[in-house]
């Protein structure tokens, strides 16, 4: 959470400047492991990019699929991401 919070404003400004709108969905999840109150969760997600204000680029992918491993842990009474790893 803290790591992402540090760059959230810069990332938001970048996305707004480029006119990119995304729609995402989680296609599936599964608990890969658990230790104490922390869980390793596998996530499959799809992100669709809409660059309506940008010039069309035939090389740009409109849909991307991601596989992630995230660590979920309680902090201040809420579940938060402690780490995010992109998987090939």
């Amino acid at each position: 959470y803290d790591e992402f919070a540090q760059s959230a404003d810069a990332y938001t400004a970048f996305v707004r400047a480029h006119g990119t709108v995304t729609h995402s969905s989680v296609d599936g999840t599964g608990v890969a492991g658990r230790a104490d109150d922390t869980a390793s969760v596998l996530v499959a997600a799809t992100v669709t990019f809409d660059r309506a204000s940008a010039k069309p680029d035939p090389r740009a992918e409109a849909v991307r699929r991601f596989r992630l491993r995230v660590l979920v842990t309680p902090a201040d009474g809420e579940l938060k991401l402690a780490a995010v790893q992109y998987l090939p």
Side-chain angles (χ1 to χ4, degrees):
Y1 174 83
D2 293 338
E3 185 177 332
F4 284 109
Q6 294 174 14
S7 61
D9 291 338
Y11 180 73
T12 300
F14 173 80
V15 169
R16 284 189 179 141
H18 287 83
T20 301
V21 176
T22 62
H23 304 278
S24 59
S25 63
V26 173
D27 304 320
T29 62
V31 176
R34 188 171 174 194
D36 298 322
D37 56 359
T38 299
S40 174
V41 179
L42 300 176
V43 179
T46 301
V47 179
T48 304
F49 296 88
D50 178 14
R51 294 175 40 174
S53 65
K55 292 181 181 178
D57 182 353
R59 296 171 296 156
E61 290 186 26
V63 175
R64 291 195 184 159
R65 289 179 174 76
F66 294 94
R67 295 185 323 151
L68 311 165
R69 179 186 331 245
V70 298
L71 291 180
V72 180
T73 189
D76 302 323
E78 298 179 347
L79 292 176
K80 295 190 179 182
L81 295 181
V84 176
Q85 176 186 17
Y86 288 92
L87 301 174

